[in-house]
Amino acid sequence: MTDKKLDTQRREFLSKSALLAATAGFTAMSTSASASPMAVAASSTSAKAVKGYIPNPENLKDVLTNAKKIMDTCAACDIAGPGRCNGKGPCGETVPGMGGKRQSFINNVEAFEKVHFNLSTVHNVTSPVTEIELFGVKLSMPILTGITGGLTYNMGAKGKLAFDGTEMTEAKFVRGIVEGAYQAGTLGWAADGIGDPIETYRERLTVVKEFKGRAVAQIKPRTQKEIFERIDAVQQAGAPFFAIDIDSAGRAARALPGRTVEPKDVKKLKEIVKYAKIPFIAKGIMTVEEAMMCVEAGCAGIVVSDHGGRVLSSTPASLDVLPAIVKAVRDANSDMAILFDSGVRDGGDVLKALALGAQAVLVGRPFLRASLGGGAAGVEMMFKKMHTDLVSSMVLTGVANVNNVPKDIIYKEA
């Protein structure tokens, strides 16, 4: 799909929600204009100004420059480009936070570099189709934001002023993610934090509710009782589906009152599937065996992911395990959706994941930085860049439709 067609689709989405936008009263990029002078003044006196911020950033370089200045734990490497992160920067190896677990994070990024395309230009593919449908939701591209949050305590944004002159908050970050994805014609995730009480989670879901089925939410692998309570909240917010990032279960060893997370066996997965009235996706699947357990449990989908290489040392790259998982699930005649996450940095990476069997991808860090540095407009800019990369990669490999990406576009040595 061309940028012109993408812009047309975006305008259609926005026109349908004119009343919603009027009710909301503001966007992430116009907060300072819509907030009262007293509110802005109060925020400005209580938050720390960041030297060198670029108000109303006009391009991705400006957006990523802003993000770099607000984050203590991320250097936002290669700010002149898409904000590529290879795990080898000066951020260190801290978890949780922006770092990775030894080689695991690096494996995810390097796996994409090791996969090569067969260049193909003798064909008639000029305007590739990038639209997909996921659980009944039509998307302009097979790209969703990753499930990211905790910027105030993981990324160093707490108490700092954002580009719009008011304090950077988790709520503002979520709005940037959700609204920016909406404007690009796709979906953004509102994230659950391990330390978040249900009241905080419900407040975060108010943004999901605003966008009437055009935003989704994630739940931490809490106790079943806590998960069911949050499923109720997600469904009330109108999300079309939800995910549980089971790959967060490692913190069970450090559980505190009200912050309990745990692994999930097939029995518990079945209980979640049975309780929910909307599709449930299990995120954090890295083996054929566990993918088949999710098939057995009746999960609507899985996300092949090692949590971005941030939770366990010495895991293989998520991309490396994807083909075997896809083959096993499809050989079992299951139509369970298979999504992918970890290490995606541009539209070319998206096409590689699709060629290896994923139906859509989740992209984390690039959109995290985009929301921090530019709000909804920054997120939309990042989506537009990734879409442009994707279309270009499709034309140069002869792929006409993202719903049917041939495996043979991937180069294999004779």
Coordinates of all heavy atoms in Angstrom, one line a residue, residues 132-214:
I132 N -4.1 -6.3 6.8 CA -4.4 -7.7 7.3 C -5.7 -7.5 8.2 O -6.1 -6.4 8.5 CB -3.3 -8.3 8.1 CG1 -3.1 -7.5 9.4 CG2 -2.0 -8.3 7.3 CD1 -2.2 -8.2 10.5
E133 N -6.2 -8.7 8.6 CA -7.3 -8.7 9.5 C -6.8 -9.6 10.7 O -6.4 -10.8 10.4 CB -8.6 -9.2 8.9 CG -9.8 -9.1 9.9 CD -11.1 -9.4 9.1 OE1 -11.3 -8.9 8.1 OE2 -11.9 -10.2 9.7
L134 N -7.0 -9.1 11.9 CA -6.5 -9.9 13.1 C -7.7 -10.0 14.1 O -8.1 -8.9 14.6 CB -5.3 -9.2 13.7 CG -4.6 -10.0 14.8 CD1 -4.0 -11.3 14.3 CD2 -3.4 -9.1 15.3
F135 N -8.2 -11.1 14.2 CA -9.4 -11.3 15.2 C -10.5 -10.3 14.8 O -11.1 -9.7 15.7 CB -8.9 -11.2 16.6 CG -7.9 -12.2 17.0 CD1 -6.6 -11.7 17.5 CD2 -8.0 -13.5 16.9 CE1 -5.6 -12.6 17.8 CE2 -7.0 -14.4 17.2 CZ -5.8 -13.9 17.7
G136 N -10.8 -10.2 13.6 CA -11.9 -9.4 13.1 C -11.6 -7.9 13.0 O -12.4 -7.1 12.6
V137 N -10.3 -7.5 13.4 CA -9.9 -6.1 13.3 C -9.1 -5.9 12.0 O -8.1 -6.6 11.8 CB -9.1 -5.7 14.5 CG1 -8.8 -4.2 14.5 CG2 -9.9 -6.0 15.8
K138 N -9.5 -4.9 11.2 CA -8.7 -4.6 10.0 C -7.6 -3.7 10.3 O -7.8 -2.6 10.9 CB -9.7 -4.1 8.9 CG -10.7 -5.1 8.4 CD -11.6 -4.5 7.3 CE -12.5 -5.6 6.8 NZ -13.4 -5.1 5.7
L139 N -6.4 -4.0 9.9 CA -5.2 -3.2 10.2 C -4.6 -2.8 8.8 O -4.6 -3.5 7.8 CB -4.2 -4.0 11.0 CG -4.7 -4.7 12.3 CD1 -3.6 -5.4 13.0 CD2 -5.3 -3.6 13.2
S140 N -4.0 -1.6 8.8 CA -3.4 -1.1 7.6 C -2.0 -1.8 7.3 O -1.5 -1.7 6.2 CB -3.1 0.4 7.8 OG -2.2 0.7 8.9
M141 N -1.5 -2.4 8.3 CA -0.2 -3.1 8.1 C -0.1 -4.2 9.2 O -0.7 -4.1 10.2 CB 1.0 -2.1 8.2 CG 1.1 -1.4 9.6 SD 2.3 -0.1 9.6 CE 1.3 1.3 9.1
P142 N 0.8 -5.2 9.0 CA 0.9 -6.3 10.0 C 1.9 -5.9 11.1 O 2.7 -6.7 11.5 CB 1.5 -7.4 9.1 CG 2.3 -6.8 8.1 CD 1.6 -5.5 7.8
I143 N 1.8 -4.7 11.6 CA 2.7 -4.2 12.6 C 1.8 -3.6 13.8 O 1.0 -2.8 13.5 CB 3.6 -3.1 12.1 CG1 4.3 -3.6 10.8 CG2 4.6 -2.7 13.2 CD1 5.1 -2.5 10.1
L144 N 2.1 -4.1 15.0 CA 1.4 -3.5 16.2 C 2.6 -3.0 17.1 O 3.7 -3.4 16.9 CB 0.6 -4.6 17.0 CG -0.6 -5.2 16.3 CD1 -0.2 -6.2 15.3 CD2 -1.5 -5.8 17.4
T145 N 2.3 -2.1 18.0 CA 3.3 -1.7 18.9 C 3.6 -2.9 19.8 O 2.8 -3.8 20.0 CB 2.9 -0.5 19.8 OG1 1.8 -1.0 20.7 CG2 2.4 0.6 19.0
G146 N 4.8 -2.9 20.4 CA 5.1 -3.9 21.4 C 4.4 -3.6 22.7 O 3.8 -2.5 22.9
I147 N 4.5 -4.5 23.6 CA 3.9 -4.3 25.0 C 4.9 -3.7 25.9 O 5.8 -4.4 26.4 CB 3.4 -5.6 25.5 CG1 2.3 -6.2 24.6 CG2 2.8 -5.4 26.9 CD1 1.9 -7.6 25.0
T148 N 4.9 -2.4 26.0 CA 5.9 -1.6 26.7 C 5.2 -0.7 27.8 O 4.2 -0.2 27.6 CB 6.8 -0.8 25.8 OG1 5.9 0.1 25.0 CG2 7.6 -1.7 24.9
G149 N 5.9 -0.5 28.9 CA 5.4 0.4 29.9 C 6.5 0.6 31.0 O 7.7 0.2 30.8
G150 N 6.1 1.2 32.1 CA 7.1 1.4 33.1 C 8.2 2.4 32.8 O 9.3 2.3 33.4
L151 N 7.9 3.4 31.9 CA 8.9 4.3 31.5 C 9.4 5.2 32.7 O 10.5 5.6 32.7 CB 8.4 5.2 30.4 CG 7.3 6.2 30.8 CD1 7.6 7.5 30.1 CD2 6.0 5.7 30.4
T152 N 8.5 5.4 33.7 CA 8.9 6.3 34.8 C 10.0 5.6 35.7 O 10.9 6.3 36.2 CB 7.7 6.7 35.6 OG1 7.0 5.5 36.0 CG2 6.8 7.6 34.8
Y153 N 9.9 4.3 35.8 CA 10.9 3.7 36.7 C 11.9 2.8 36.0 O 12.9 2.5 36.5 CB 10.2 2.8 37.8 CG 9.1 1.8 37.3 CD1 9.5 0.6 36.8 CD2 7.8 2.2 37.3 CE1 8.5 -0.3 36.3 CE2 6.8 1.3 36.8 CZ 7.2 0.0 36.3 OH 6.2 -0.9 35.8
N154 N 11.6 2.5 34.7 CA 12.6 1.7 33.9 C 13.5 2.6 33.0 O 14.6 2.3 32.7 CB 11.9 0.7 33.0 CG 11.6 -0.6 33.8 OD1 12.1 -0.8 34.8 ND2 10.7 -1.4 33.2
M155 N 12.9 3.7 32.6 CA 13.6 4.5 31.6 C 14.1 5.9 32.1 O 14.7 6.7 31.3 CB 12.8 4.7 30.3 CG 12.5 3.5 29.5 SD 11.3 2.4 30.4 CE 10.9 1.3 29.0
G156 N 13.8 6.2 33.3 CA 14.3 7.4 33.9 C 13.4 8.7 33.6 O 13.9 9.8 33.7
A157 N 12.2 8.5 33.2 CA 11.4 9.6 32.8 C 10.6 10.3 34.0 O 10.0 11.3 33.8 CB 10.3 9.2 31.7
K158 N 10.7 9.7 35.1 CA 9.9 10.2 36.3 C 10.3 11.6 36.6 O 11.5 11.9 36.8 CB 10.1 9.2 37.5 CG 9.2 9.7 38.7 CD 9.4 8.7 39.8 CE 8.6 9.1 41.1 NZ 7.2 9.2 40.8
G159 N 9.3 12.5 36.8 CA 9.6 13.8 37.2 C 10.2 14.7 36.2 O 10.6 15.8 36.5
K160 N 10.2 14.3 34.9 CA 10.8 15.2 33.9 C 9.7 15.8 33.0 O 8.7 15.2 32.8 CB 11.8 14.4 33.0 CG 13.0 13.9 33.8 CD 14.0 13.2 32.9 CE 15.2 12.7 33.6 NZ 16.1 11.9 32.7
L161 N 10.1 17.0 32.5 CA 9.1 17.6 31.6 C 9.3 17.0 30.2 O 10.4 16.7 29.7 CB 9.4 19.1 31.5 CG 9.0 20.0 32.7 CD1 9.3 21.4 32.4 CD2 7.5 19.8 33.0
A162 N 8.1 16.8 29.5 CA 8.1 16.2 28.2 C 8.2 17.4 27.2 O 8.2 18.6 27.5 CB 6.9 15.4 28.0
F163 N 8.2 17.0 25.9 CA 8.3 18.0 24.8 C 7.2 19.0 24.8 O 7.3 20.1 24.2 CB 8.3 17.2 23.5 CG 7.1 16.4 23.3 CD1 6.0 16.9 22.7 CD2 7.1 15.1 23.7 CE1 4.8 16.1 22.5 CE2 6.0 14.3 23.6 CZ 4.8 14.8 23.0
D164 N 6.0 18.6 25.4 CA 4.9 19.5 25.3 C 4.8 20.5 26.5 O 3.8 21.2 26.7 CB 3.6 18.7 25.2 CG 3.4 17.8 26.4 OD1 4.2 17.8 27.3 OD2 2.3 17.1 26.5
G165 N 5.8 20.5 27.4 CA 5.8 21.4 28.5 C 5.2 21.0 29.7 O 5.1 21.7 30.7
T166 N 4.6 19.7 29.7 CA 4.1 19.2 30.9 C 4.8 17.9 31.3 O 5.6 17.4 30.6 CB 2.6 18.8 30.7 OG1 2.4 17.8 29.7 CG2 1.8 20.1 30.3
E167 N 4.6 17.4 32.5 CA 5.3 16.3 33.0 C 5.1 15.0 32.3 O 3.9 14.7 31.9 CB 5.0 16.1 34.5 CG 5.9 15.0 35.2 CD 5.6 14.8 36.6 OE1 4.8 15.6 37.2 OE2 6.2 13.9 37.3
M168 N 6.2 14.3 32.0 CA 6.0 13.0 31.3 C 5.5 12.0 32.3 O 6.0 11.8 33.4 CB 7.4 12.5 30.8 CG 7.3 11.4 29.9 SD 6.6 11.8 28.3 CE 5.5 10.4 28.1
T169 N 4.4 11.3 31.9 CA 3.7 10.4 32.8 C 3.5 9.1 32.0 O 3.5 9.0 30.8 CB 2.4 10.9 33.3 OG1 1.5 11.1 32.2 CG2 2.6 12.2 34.1
E170 N 3.1 8.0 32.8 CA 2.8 6.8 32.1 C 1.5 6.9 31.3 O 1.4 6.4 30.2 CB 2.6 5.7 33.2 CG 2.5 4.3 32.7 CD 3.8 3.7 32.3 OE1 4.8 4.2 32.7 OE2 3.8 2.7 31.6
A171 N 0.6 7.7 31.8 CA -0.7 7.9 31.0 C -0.4 8.6 29.7 O -1.0 8.3 28.7 CB -1.7 8.7 31.9
K172 N 0.5 9.6 29.7 CA 0.8 10.3 28.5 C 1.5 9.4 27.5 O 1.3 9.4 26.3 CB 1.7 11.5 28.8 CG 2.0 12.4 27.6 CD 2.8 13.6 28.0 CE 2.1 14.5 28.9 NZ 2.8 15.7 29.3
F173 N 2.4 8.5 28.0 CA 3.1 7.5 27.2 C 2.1 6.6 26.5 O 2.1 6.3 25.3 CB 4.1 6.7 28.0 CG 4.6 5.5 27.3 CD1 5.6 5.7 26.4 CD2 4.2 4.3 27.6 CE1 6.1 4.6 25.7 CE2 4.7 3.1 27.0 CZ 5.7 3.3 26.0
V174 N 1.1 6.0 27.3 CA 0.1 5.1 26.8 C -0.7 5.8 25.7 O -1.0 5.2 24.7 CB -0.8 4.6 27.9 CG1 -1.9 3.8 27.4 CG2 0.1 3.7 28.9
R175 N -1.1 7.0 26.0 CA -1.9 7.8 25.0 C -1.1 7.9 23.7 O -1.7 7.7 22.6 CB -2.3 9.1 25.5 CG -3.0 10.0 24.4 CD -3.6 11.2 25.0 NE -4.9 10.8 25.7 CZ -6.0 10.6 25.1 NH1 -6.1 10.7 23.8 NH2 -7.1 10.2 25.8
G176 N 0.1 8.2 23.8 CA 1.0 8.3 22.6 C 1.0 7.0 21.8 O 0.8 7.0 20.6
I177 N 1.2 5.9 22.5 CA 1.2 4.6 21.8 C -0.1 4.3 21.2 O -0.2 3.9 20.0 CB 1.5 3.5 22.9 CG1 3.0 3.6 23.3 CG2 1.2 2.1 22.3 CD1 4.0 3.2 22.3
V178 N -1.2 4.4 21.9 CA -2.5 4.0 21.5 C -3.0 4.9 20.4 O -3.5 4.5 19.3 CB -3.5 3.9 22.6 CG1 -5.0 3.7 22.1 CG2 -3.2 2.7 23.6
E179 N -2.9 6.2 20.6 CA -3.5 7.1 19.6 C -2.6 7.2 18.3 O -3.1 7.2 17.2 CB -3.5 8.5 20.2 CG -4.2 9.6 19.3 CD -4.4 10.9 20.0 OE1 -4.4 11.0 21.2 OE2 -4.6 11.9 19.3
G180 N -1.3 7.1 18.5 CA -0.4 7.0 17.3 C -0.7 5.8 16.4 O -0.7 5.9 15.2
A181 N -0.9 4.7 17.1 CA -1.2 3.5 16.3 C -2.5 3.6 15.6 O -2.7 3.2 14.5 CB -1.2 2.2 17.2
Y182 N -3.5 4.2 16.3 CA -4.8 4.4 15.8 C -4.7 5.3 14.5 O -5.4 5.0 13.5 CB -5.7 5.0 16.8 CG -7.1 5.5 16.4 CD1 -8.1 4.6 16.3 CD2 -7.3 6.8 16.0 CE1 -9.4 5.0 15.8 CE2 -8.5 7.2 15.6 CZ -9.6 6.3 15.5 OH -10.8 6.7 15.0
Q183 N -4.0 6.3 14.6 CA -3.9 7.3 13.5 C -3.2 6.6 12.3 O -3.4 7.0 11.2 CB -3.1 8.5 13.9 CG -3.9 9.4 14.9 CD -3.1 10.6 15.4 OE1 -3.6 11.4 16.1 NE2 -1.8 10.7 15.1
A184 N -2.3 5.6 12.6 CA -1.7 4.9 11.5 C -2.5 3.7 11.0 O -2.1 3.0 10.0 CB -0.3 4.3 12.0
G185 N -3.7 3.5 11.6 CA -4.6 2.4 11.1 C -4.3 1.1 11.7 O -4.7 0.1 11.1
T186 N -3.6 1.0 12.8 CA -3.3 -0.3 13.4 C -3.6 -0.2 14.9 O -4.4 0.6 15.3 CB -1.8 -0.7 13.1 OG1 -1.6 -2.0 13.6 CG2 -0.8 0.3 13.5
L187 N -2.9 -1.1 15.7 CA -3.3 -1.2 17.1 C -2.0 -1.0 18.0 O -0.9 -1.4 17.7 CB -3.8 -2.6 17.4 CG -5.1 -3.0 16.8 CD1 -5.5 -4.4 17.0 CD2 -6.3 -2.1 17.3
G188 N -2.3 -0.3 19.1 CA -1.3 -0.1 20.2 C -1.8 -0.8 21.5 O -3.0 -0.9 21.7
W189 N -0.8 -1.2 22.3 CA -1.1 -1.9 23.5 C -1.0 -1.0 24.8 O -0.1 -0.2 24.9 CB -0.1 -3.1 23.7 CG -0.2 -4.2 22.8 CD1 0.4 -4.2 21.5 CD2 -0.9 -5.4 22.9 NE1 0.1 -5.4 20.9 CE2 -0.7 -6.1 21.7 CE3 -1.7 -5.9 23.9 CZ2 -1.2 -7.4 21.5 CZ3 -2.2 -7.2 23.7 CH2 -2.0 -7.9 22.5
A190 N -2.0 -1.1 25.7 CA -1.9 -0.6 27.0 C -1.3 -1.7 27.9 O -1.9 -2.8 27.9 CB -3.2 -0.1 27.5
A191 N -0.2 -1.4 28.6 CA 0.5 -2.4 29.3 C 0.1 -2.4 30.8 O -0.2 -1.4 31.4 CB 2.0 -2.3 29.2
D192 N 0.1 -3.6 31.4 CA -0.1 -3.9 32.8 C 1.3 -3.9 33.5 O 2.3 -4.5 32.9 CB -0.8 -5.2 33.0 CG -1.1 -5.5 34.4 OD1 -1.1 -4.6 35.3 OD2 -1.4 -6.7 34.7
G193 N 1.5 -3.3 34.6 CA 2.7 -3.3 35.3 C 2.6 -4.2 36.6 O 1.6 -4.2 37.2
I194 N 3.6 -4.9 36.9 CA 3.6 -5.9 38.0 C 3.1 -5.2 39.3 O 2.4 -5.7 40.1 CB 4.9 -6.6 38.2 CG1 5.1 -7.6 37.1 CG2 5.0 -7.3 39.6 CD1 6.4 -8.3 37.1
G195 N 3.6 -4.0 39.5 CA 3.3 -3.2 40.7 C 2.0 -2.4 40.7 O 1.7 -1.8 41.6
D196 N 1.3 -2.5 39.5 CA 0.1 -1.7 39.4 C -1.1 -2.3 40.1 O -1.5 -3.4 39.8 CB -0.2 -1.5 37.9 CG 0.8 -0.7 37.1 OD1 1.6 0.0 37.8 OD2 0.8 -0.8 35.9
P197 N -1.7 -1.6 41.0 CA -3.0 -2.0 41.5 C -4.1 -2.0 40.5 O -3.9 -1.3 39.4 CB -3.3 -1.1 42.7 CG -2.6 0.2 42.3 CD -1.3 -0.3 41.5
I198 N -5.2 -2.7 40.7 CA -6.2 -2.7 39.7 C -6.8 -1.3 39.4 O -7.2 -1.1 38.2 CB -7.4 -3.7 40.2 CG1 -8.5 -3.8 39.1 CG2 -8.0 -3.1 41.5 CD1 -8.0 -4.5 37.9
E199 N -6.8 -0.4 40.3 CA -7.3 0.9 40.1 C -6.4 1.6 39.0 O -6.9 2.3 38.1 CB -7.3 1.8 41.4 CG -8.3 1.3 42.4 CD -7.8 0.1 43.2 OE1 -6.6 -0.3 43.1 OE2 -8.6 -0.6 43.9
T200 N -5.1 1.5 39.1 CA -4.2 2.0 38.1 C -4.4 1.4 36.8 O -4.4 2.1 35.7 CB -2.7 1.8 38.6 OG1 -2.5 2.5 39.8 CG2 -1.7 2.4 37.5
Y201 N -4.6 0.1 36.7 CA -4.8 -0.6 35.5 C -6.1 -0.1 34.8 O -6.2 0.2 33.6 CB -4.9 -2.1 35.7 CG -4.9 -2.9 34.5 CD1 -3.9 -2.9 33.6 CD2 -6.0 -3.8 34.2 CE1 -3.9 -3.7 32.4 CE2 -6.1 -4.5 33.1 CZ -5.0 -4.5 32.2 OH -5.1 -5.3 31.0
R202 N -7.2 0.0 35.6 CA -8.4 0.5 35.1 C -8.3 1.9 34.5 O -8.9 2.3 33.5 CB -9.5 0.5 36.1 CG -10.0 -0.9 36.5 CD -11.4 -0.8 37.3 NE -11.9 -2.1 37.6 CZ -11.8 -2.6 38.8 NH1 -11.3 -1.9 39.8 NH2 -12.3 -3.8 39.1
E203 N -7.5 2.8 35.2 CA -7.3 4.1 34.7 C -6.6 4.1 33.3 O -6.9 4.9 32.4 CB -6.5 4.9 35.7 CG -6.2 6.4 35.3 CD -5.4 7.1 36.3 OE1 -5.1 6.5 37.4 OE2 -5.0 8.2 36.1
R204 N -5.6 3.2 33.2 CA -4.9 3.1 31.9 C -5.8 2.6 30.8 O -5.7 3.0 29.7 CB -3.7 2.1 32.1 CG -2.6 2.2 31.1 CD -1.4 1.5 31.6 NE -0.9 2.1 32.8 CZ -0.1 1.5 33.7 NH1 0.2 0.3 33.5 NH2 0.4 2.2 34.7
L205 N -6.8 1.8 31.2 CA -7.7 1.3 30.2 C -8.7 2.3 29.7 O -9.4 2.1 28.7 CB -8.5 0.0 30.7 CG -7.6 -1.2 30.9 CD1 -8.5 -2.3 31.6 CD2 -7.0 -1.7 29.6
T206 N -8.8 3.4 30.4 CA -9.7 4.5 29.9 C -9.3 5.0 28.5 O -10.1 5.4 27.7 CB -9.7 5.7 30.8 OG1 -8.4 6.2 31.0 CG2 -10.3 5.3 32.2
V207 N -8.0 4.9 28.2 CA -7.5 5.3 26.9 C -7.9 4.2 25.9 O -8.3 4.6 24.8 CB -5.9 5.4 26.9 CG1 -5.4 5.8 25.5 CG2 -5.5 6.5 27.9
V208 N -7.8 3.0 26.2 CA -8.3 1.9 25.4 C -9.8 2.1 25.1 O -10.2 1.9 23.9 CB -8.1 0.5 26.0 CG1 -8.7 -0.6 25.2 CG2 -6.6 0.3 26.2
K209 N -10.6 2.4 26.1 CA -12.0 2.6 25.9 C -12.3 3.7 25.0 O -13.3 3.7 24.2 CB -12.7 2.8 27.3 CG -14.2 2.8 27.2 CD -14.8 2.9 28.6 CE -16.3 2.8 28.6 NZ -16.8 2.8 30.0
E210 N -11.5 4.8 25.0 CA -11.7 5.9 24.1 C -11.7 5.6 22.7 O -12.5 6.2 21.9 CB -10.6 7.0 24.4 CG -11.0 8.1 25.3 CD -9.9 9.1 25.3 OE1 -9.5 9.6 24.2 OE2 -9.4 9.4 26.4
F211 N -10.9 4.6 22.3 CA -10.7 4.3 20.9 C -11.6 3.2 20.4 O -11.4 2.7 19.3 CB -9.2 4.1 20.6 CG -8.5 5.4 20.7 CD1 -7.9 5.8 21.9 CD2 -8.3 6.2 19.6 CE1 -7.3 7.0 22.0 CE2 -7.7 7.4 19.7 CZ -7.1 7.8 20.9
K212 N -12.6 2.8 21.2 CA -13.7 1.9 20.7 C -13.3 0.8 19.9 O -13.6 0.7 18.7 CB -14.7 2.8 20.0 CG -15.3 3.9 20.9 CD -16.4 4.6 20.2 CE -17.0 5.8 21.0 NZ -17.6 5.3 22.3
G213 N -12.6 -0.2 20.4 CA -12.2 -1.4 19.7 C -11.0 -1.2 18.8 O -10.6 -2.2 18.1
R214 N -10.3 -0.1 18.9 CA -9.1 0.1 18.1 C -7.9 0.2 19.0 O -6.9 0.9 18.7 CB -9.2 1.4 17.3 CG -10.3 1.4 16.3 CD -10.2 0.4 15.2 NE -8.9 0.5 14.5 CZ -8.5 -0.3 13.5 NH1 -9.4 -1.2 13.0 NH2 -7.3 -0.2 13.0

